[in-house]
């Protein structure tokens, strides 16, 4: 009983019911009639009906894989997403939704739409055992660190399922190297020292920095007088390797080879 309703106004009534378990795939009609003690000259619009289909809840799995990990900044990063119906009934109106990480721009996502950083990709109906593959191509902006892309798959009769793919991004940086000899000129039989200066000139740190120096013919490497960071792989080998390790932005490291 909704009582009195003023002319031009409306009243909304909610009736909540539970579908009977086990009765899936059937369509249930429901009709309602409105009446009033006040005479209604138009009685043809006093009834309404609707039909509800009862669906069985099904299970959908989702996997997400990045194309490269770790990956250099500015390179295309491709996400391959597989959505599979692992249940026993059709999955209806399935969709994939993801909020792209910061500093990642979508360049290709067939059928998908991007609004305010939220990506929405319709999958549609999936039969039991069917798999839908979604390929997203992105570009990484000037950034370094860990990117996490979380996606959610859902549907009318699908419980939402999430997956997260982490990708380590390495930002390219610039390294300079200068080399000095002392003394110059030099006479045969005297000690000659090469000083090598390495500097990180880019805006990001560098890791695993290594100098490889091939000594000229006629020069013998002196391990005791050279920097401890430098090594010779074997006697009489002219290639000297100096491992500098990690270097911060604008940092300079120097080694000497005698």
């Amino acid at each position: 009983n909704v009582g009195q309703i003023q002319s031009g106004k409306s009243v909304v009534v909610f009736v909540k019911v539970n579908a009977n378990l086990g009765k899936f795939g059937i369509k249930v009609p429901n009709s309602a009639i409105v009446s009033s003690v006040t005479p209604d000259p138009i009685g043809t619009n006093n009834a309404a009906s609707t039909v509800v289909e009862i669906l069985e809840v099904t299970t959908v799995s989702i996997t997400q894989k990045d194309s490269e990990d770790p990956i250099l900044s500015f390179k295309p990063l491709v996400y391959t997403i597989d959505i599979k119906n692992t249940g026993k009934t059709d999955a209806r109106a399935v969709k994939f939704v993801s909020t792209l990480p910061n500093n990642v721009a979508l360049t290709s996502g067939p059928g998908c739409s991007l609004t305010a950083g939220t990506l929405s990709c319709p999958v549609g109906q999936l039969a039991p055992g069917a798999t839908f593959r979604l390929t997203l191509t992105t570009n990484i902006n000037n950034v370094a660190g860990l990117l996490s892309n979380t996606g959610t798959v859902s549907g009318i009769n699908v419980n939402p399922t999430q997956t997260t793919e982490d990708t380590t991004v390495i930002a390219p940086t610039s390294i300079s190297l200068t080399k000095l000899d002392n003394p110059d000129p030099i006479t045969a039989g005297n000690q000659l020292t090469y000083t090598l200066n390495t500097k990180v000139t880019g805006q990001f740190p560098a890791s695993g920095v290594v100098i490889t120096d091939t000594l000229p013919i006629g020069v013998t490497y002196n391990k005791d007088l050279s920097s401890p960071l430098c090594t010779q792989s074997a006697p009489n080998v002219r290639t000297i390797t100096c491992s500098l390790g990690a270097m911060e932005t604008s940092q300079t490291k120097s080694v000497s080879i005698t």
Side-chain angles (χ1 to χ4, degrees), residues 176-221:
S176 65
L177 176 66
T178 60
K179 185 176 183 180
L180 302 174
D181 54 0
N182 184 50
D184 186 6
I186 188 173
T187 58
N190 288 330
Q191 179 177 298
L192 173 62
T193 299
Y194 294 105
T195 301
L196 299 95
N197 299 310
T198 303
K199 182 178 181 180
V200 177
T201 57
Q203 57 179 313
F204 292 102
S207 59
V209 180
V210 176
I211 299 174
T212 301
D213 192 339
T214 301
L215 298 178
I217 297 174
V219 172
T220 302
Y221 177 66

Side-chain angles (χ1 to χ4, degrees), residues 229-246:
L229 297 177
C230 301
T231 59
Q232 184 182 34
S233 59
N236 302 321
V237 174
R238 293 188 294 120
T239 300
I240 308 301
T241 302
C242 304
S243 300
L244 306 185

Side-chain angles (χ1 to χ4, degrees), residues 49-68:
S49 63
T50 186
V51 177
V52 176
E53 184 178 3
I54 300 178
L55 300 176
E56 182 179 3
V57 175
T58 189
T59 304
V60 172
S61 66
I62 177 173
T63 60
Q64 186 177 192
K65 179 65 178 177
D66 50 13
S67 58
E68 193 174 344

Side-chain angles (χ1 to χ4, degrees), residues 15-254:
V15 179
K16 294 184 178 181
V17 297
N18 291 325
N20 292 329
L21 295 178
K23 295 183 178 182
F24 303 117
I26 63 173
K27 295 182 178 181
V28 180
N30 182 41
S31 300
I33 299 175
V34 64
S35 61
S36 172
V37 295
T38 303
D40 186 352
I42 306 175
T44 56
N45 61 355
N46 290 0
S49 63
T50 186
V51 177
V52 176
E53 184 178 3
I54 300 178
L55 300 176
E56 182 179 3
V57 175
T58 189
T59 304
V60 172
S61 66
I62 177 173
T63 60
Q64 186 177 192
K65 179 65 178 177
D66 50 13
S67 58
E68 193 174 344
D69 189 6
I71 188 172
L72 287 175
S73 182
F74 299 108
K75 290 188 66 176
L77 174 60
V78 180
Y79 293 104
T80 301
I81 300 145
D82 287 329
I83 300 168
K84 182 177 182 179
N85 184 355
T86 57
K88 298 180 180 179
T89 188
D90 289 350
R92 303 283 189 89
V94 181
K95 67 178 180 178
F96 173 83
V97 176
S98 173
T99 301
L100 293 178
N102 294 331
N103 300 304
V104 170
L106 180 71
T107 58
S108 176
C112 300
S113 60
L114 184 63
T115 304
T118 299
L119 183 72
S120 180
C121 305
V123 176
Q125 183 168 315
L126 277 180
T131 299
F132 180 88
R133 171 162 289 186
L134 180 64
T135 302
L136 305 176
T137 304
T138 65
N139 276 340
I140 306 172
N141 298 329
N142 195 12
V143 65
L146 188 67
L147 291 181
S148 293
N149 186 30
T150 298
T152 302
V153 63
S154 61
I156 293 177
N157 60 328
V158 176
N159 292 323
T161 303
Q162 278 191 347
T163 180
T164 299
E165 182 69 4
D166 293 332
T167 307
T168 300
V169 180
I170 302 172
T173 192
S174 298
I175 300 175
S176 65
L177 176 66
T178 60
K179 185 176 183 180
L180 302 174
D181 54 0
N182 184 50
D184 186 6
I186 188 173
T187 58
N190 288 330
Q191 179 177 298
L192 173 62
T193 299
Y194 294 105
T195 301
L196 299 95
N197 299 310
T198 303
K199 182 178 181 180
V200 177
T201 57
Q203 57 179 313
F204 292 102
S207 59
V209 180
V210 176
I211 299 174
T212 301
D213 192 339
T214 301
L215 298 178
I217 297 174
V219 172
T220 302
Y221 177 66
N222 190 325
K223 174 184 177 181
D224 296 332
L225 297 179
S226 298
S227 295
L229 297 177
C230 301
T231 59
Q232 184 182 34
S233 59
N236 302 321
V237 174
R238 293 188 294 120
T239 300
I240 308 301
T241 302
C242 304
S243 300
L244 306 185
M247 295 181 63
E248 298 297 326
T249 303
S250 301
Q251 182 180 8
T252 298
K253 287 187 178 182
S254 298

